[in-house]
Amino acid sequence: MLHMLFRLGVVAALLLLLGACERQSEVSLPGMSEALAPEYGDTFIEASIGDASNLLPVLSSDSASSAINSLVYNGLLRYNGQLELEGELAERWEVSDDNRILTFYLRRDVRWHDGSPFISDDVKFTYQLYIDPEIPTAYAESFSQVTRVETPDPYTFIAYYDTPYAPALLSWATAIHPRHLLEDTDILRSPLSRSPVGTGPYRFSEWVSGEKIVLEANPDYFEGSPYIRRVVYRIIPDVSTQFLELQTGSLDFMGLTPLQFDRQTDTPAFRRNYNKYQYLSFGYTYLGYNLRRPLFADRRVRQALAYAIDKQELIDGVLLGYGVAATGPYKPDTWVYNPEVMPYHYNPEKARQLLAEAGWHDANGDGILEKDGKPLAFTIVTNQGNDLRIKTGEIIQRRFREIGVDVRLRVIEWATFLKDFINPGNFDATILGWSGGPEPDQYNIWHSSKTAPGQLNFIGFEHPEIDELLERGRRVFDQEQRKLYYDRFQEILAEEQPYTFLYVSEALPAVSRRFRGIEPAPAGIRYNFQHWFVPAAEQKYTR
């Protein structure tokens, strides 16, 4: 999903959405209490609906690429299972009393996958990559807040800010790039885009386009070699095919659909082979309107469309109850969530009233509203391989028709979807999702300076008060004060409806029972992947 899971923290999309403790599953987890000594070996196989696009983190923003990058690269910091920042490439750090100077003391035992030592110049070079105007990255904003950096020695890195910047520490959780391999090269044509070299727990091994990406355990990893020897990402665009592969044992991990989780895996055979987990995810699904299209210029039209959608119908019919309604970009169980935001309960009469006020009427009696001789019609695009989004679109399409809106639903292959539709802004409306983490800063998605091609405000939303609130929210460290800014931010989004926020779904992963070391936590289950293992007697792949 465009979900665009960036590696700024857990992955860089952690800048996008605040998360908090997830609800742990009622599902039984056999084997979790077993006291087994970890052992090395075996292969972990999972599927992706789309191929990676670029394995240089500065250039990638899609979830497929970020999943690979999260195992190949490290940041200075990371989130642990309790969503607390801890050192990764930095063994410790200091924040000045005025919150304007960050000093990182780097680990001295880290090497790049080619054997070269990791030093502070690599961090400085990464910073320079992100602020280089010639490099088309979606993540320059956080680094543009830095006024200068210093590397007083190979293992100390200092970042200076003119004004306090609340997400500053999190921004240094971004993947660090190897200076010795990228300096004085054309980044856009670097071979590292296809064959990355990082410092992470896994080394790149093979990429067969459209088929698979293979990673091998890094035996020299500074925290110790991961127990699982190989990770294979298979490109399987169809979720139904993925599920068939899971049932035959060809996959070790899959995020199940609600139907699969609730009905198709409740069998003795599946329970013998897989454990299931359940927790509220860090993301939300939305219907986003391209505000550059004249059709969506009037907010009454957007509000009407919101009233025409029955969110509970989507939760019950698409998610089978495994989710909650979304009213904005924050989960309901987080400190930043504003419970007073207008929820837009299903009200087709209100929708028709707003459309009439906006000048839309059925002049010829065909059931479709018109204005100035043009029908109220548009196309919703979404990506292939995500049945939940497709089903959501079909239900929305039907509900819109009931209020006189003619909608076409178009499903597009992932790479084409991004390249030809989303990135250039070539769409009317889209059903997509964002994933994120504990930092509530939403600047990259909603600020008016982020509307250029390839940036994250691809719907073209511009609002002066939103800009001001986002700027203020990132300049204060006091949580109560930040909440005042973000409460108002959510109120304006509800009023303007640039997105119709649909739902926050529950993550429903299934993992092969032979994998041990899985410890569900507020961060989910993948945060400690390098500590997962398979007992020798149960290992399935010897090569």
Side-chain angles (χ1 to χ4, degrees):
M1 43 189 175
L2 190 104
H3 239 267
M4 288 188 176
L5 212 50
F6 324 117
R7 199 202 186 287
L8 290 177
V10 178
V11 199
L14 288 177
L15 290 178
L16 306 182
L17 174 69
L18 183 136
C21 291
E22 298 174 332
R23 294 185 292 115
Q24 292 189 15
S25 172
E26 296 294 326
V27 177
S28 61
L29 305 177
M32 291 298 294
S33 62
E34 297 177 85
L36 297 174
E39 299 184 70
Y40 295 91
D42 215 343
T43 296
F44 179 83
I45 303 175
E46 65 175 296
S48 172
I49 62 172
D51 206 347
S53 64
N54 196 308
L55 296 183
L56 273 177
V58 68
L59 299 178
S60 65
S61 60
D62 60 286
S63 57
S65 300
S66 296
I68 303 297
N69 290 338
S70 67
L71 295 179
V72 172
Y73 296 93
N74 298 109
L76 298 186
L77 305 177
R78 67 184 172 202
Y79 279 113
N80 63 18
Q82 300 303 315
L83 297 174
E84 302 163 333
L85 281 173
E86 64 180 16
E88 192 169 31
L89 292 175
E91 60 184 10
R92 61 188 178 91
W93 65 92
E94 297 173 354
V95 180
S96 64
D97 291 340
D98 62 1
N99 295 311
R100 297 183 182 185
I101 304 173
L102 304 182
T103 303
F104 297 94
Y105 300 96
L106 309 181
R107 297 183 65 121
R108 296 169 181 259
D109 56 350
V110 180
R111 292 193 172 272
W112 294 97
H113 294 161
D114 65 357
S116 300
F118 160 74
I119 56 176
S120 57
D121 281 346
D122 294 308
V123 186
K124 180 178 180 180
F125 175 75
T126 297
Y127 158 72
Q128 292 168 336
L129 278 182
Y130 278 97
I131 63 170
D132 186 341
E134 299 300 316
I135 295 179
T137 181
Y139 317 123
E141 179 57 35
S142 290
F143 297 97
S144 69
Q145 304 301 312
V146 179
T147 54
R148 63 187 174 95
V149 299
E150 291 180 358
T151 53
D153 62 62
Y155 299 103
T156 305
F157 176 79
I158 307 173
Y160 295 86
Y161 297 77
D162 272 349
T163 57
Y165 179 57
L169 277 176
L170 178 61
S171 67
W172 294 106
T174 190
I176 303 301
H177 297 64
R179 178 188 60 83
H180 67 289
L181 296 177
L182 293 171
E183 192 172 39
D184 298 324
T185 67
D186 184 348
I187 298 297
L188 301 183
R189 292 176 173 79
S190 171
L192 270 66
S193 292
R194 294 280 307 183
S195 182
V197 175
T199 56
Y202 284 87
R203 295 175 173 176
F204 173 80
S205 175
E206 181 184 15
W207 184 353
V208 181
S209 294
E211 181 181 336
K212 65 180 178 180
I213 296 176
V214 181
L215 306 178
E216 301 283 348
N218 177 8
D220 302 317
Y221 188 53
F222 57 86
E223 291 184 325
S225 176
Y227 296 110
I228 300 171
R229 188 170 62 87
R230 179 182 289 114
V231 175
V232 178
Y233 288 85
R234 294 179 54 198
I235 316 306
I236 305 177
D238 181 65
V239 174
S240 297
T241 304
Q242 288 186 20
F243 187 56
L244 291 175
E245 295 275 346
L246 185 77
Q247 291 176 305
T248 63
S250 298
L251 295 179
D252 296 310
F253 176 94
M254 180 179 174
L256 301 175
T257 67
L259 180 64
Q260 293 163 349
F261 185 90
D262 197 55
R263 301 172 187 173
Q264 297 175 349
T265 58
D266 189 21
T267 65
F270 193 88
R271 288 193 293 269
R272 281 195 301 270
N273 295 314
Y274 293 93
N275 289 324
K276 296 194 295 185
Y277 303 84
Q278 175 186 347
Y279 46 86
L280 197 63
S281 70
F282 286 112
Y284 61 89
T285 297
Y286 64 89
L287 173 63
Y289 309 106
N290 188 343
L291 301 182
R292 300 179 182 90
R293 298 285 202 259
L295 174 61
F296 300 116
D298 190 330
R299 75 175 183 183
R300 289 173 296 184
V301 172
R302 306 191 299 269
Q303 291 172 340
L305 296 177
Y307 278 119
I309 296 172
D310 187 342
K311 295 181 184 179
Q312 193 59 48
E313 177 183 38
L314 298 178
I315 293 167
D316 294 338
V318 177
L319 302 182
L320 303 184
Y322 293 108
V324 296
T327 59
Y330 303 118
K331 288 204 305 176
D333 57 354
T334 60
W335 65 266
V336 75
Y337 176 77
N338 182 355
E340 303 303 318
V341 164
M342 184 188 307
Y344 286 87
H345 295 303
Y346 177 57
N347 189 338
E349 288 305 316
K350 179 70 172 178
R352 294 185 185 97
Q353 174 190 333
L354 285 167
L355 290 174
E357 292 175 4
W360 293 93
H361 303 280
D362 183 7
N364 58 14
D366 66 350
I368 302 301
L369 305 179
E370 298 95 18
K371 181 179 180 181
D372 300 327
K374 296 181 180 179
L376 183 46
F378 61 92
T379 298
I380 297 174
V381 296
T382 194
N383 62 288
Q384 184 181 33
N386 190 310
D387 288 345
L388 299 185
R389 290 183 190 158
I390 296 170
K391 292 175 182 176
T392 295
E394 291 170 348
I395 293 174
I396 289 175
Q397 182 183 36
R398 185 172 67 251
R399 289 298 184 190
F400 283 178
R401 179 74 191 204
E402 291 172 356
I403 64 165
V405 181
D406 184 18
V407 170
R408 178 188 176 199
L409 181 65
R410 185 174 179 186
V411 181
I412 305 162
E413 184 274 329
W414 176 250
T416 302
F417 175 70
L418 293 181
K419 179 177 179 292
D420 295 342
F421 293 85
I422 297 302
N423 290 339
N426 182 29
F427 64 95
D428 296 329
T430 183
I431 296 176
L432 278 175
W434 286 113
S435 290
E439 170 52 51
D441 181 30
Q442 296 271 310
Y443 191 99
N444 281 333
I445 294 180
W446 295 108
H447 197 274
S448 61
S449 66
K450 299 301 179 181
T451 58
Q455 293 188 311
L456 306 186
N457 187 353
F458 50 79
I459 65 167
F461 179 69
E462 298 185 15
H463 194 287
E465 188 178 354
I466 287 282
D467 286 354
E468 182 179 359
L469 291 166
L470 292 173
E471 290 160 8
R472 290 185 175 185
R474 64 193 346 206
R475 297 299 175 197
V476 297
F477 285 72
D478 180 77
Q479 183 169 299
E480 290 186 6
Q481 184 61 51
R482 292 190 89 191
K483 181 166 174 55
L484 292 177
Y485 295 138
Y486 291 125
D487 277 355
R488 178 58 184 151
F489 163 61
Q490 292 167 77
E491 290 171 359
I492 295 173
L493 286 183
E495 293 165 3
E496 294 294 329
Q497 284 295 294
Y499 289 176
T500 295
F501 296 90
L502 300 174
Y503 50 75
V504 179
S505 59
E506 292 190 348
L508 305 170
V511 187
S512 171
R513 284 174 56 97
R514 73 181 193 280
F515 291 92
R516 309 300 208 280
I518 301 172
E519 298 177 356
I525 64 171
R526 295 291 290 263
Y527 69 94
N528 71 334
F529 180 73
Q530 69 201 58
H531 299 302
W532 292 15
F533 69 95
V534 178
E538 298 179 39
Q539 291 183 12
K540 186 174 180 180
Y541 303 96
T542 59
R543 296 186 57 183

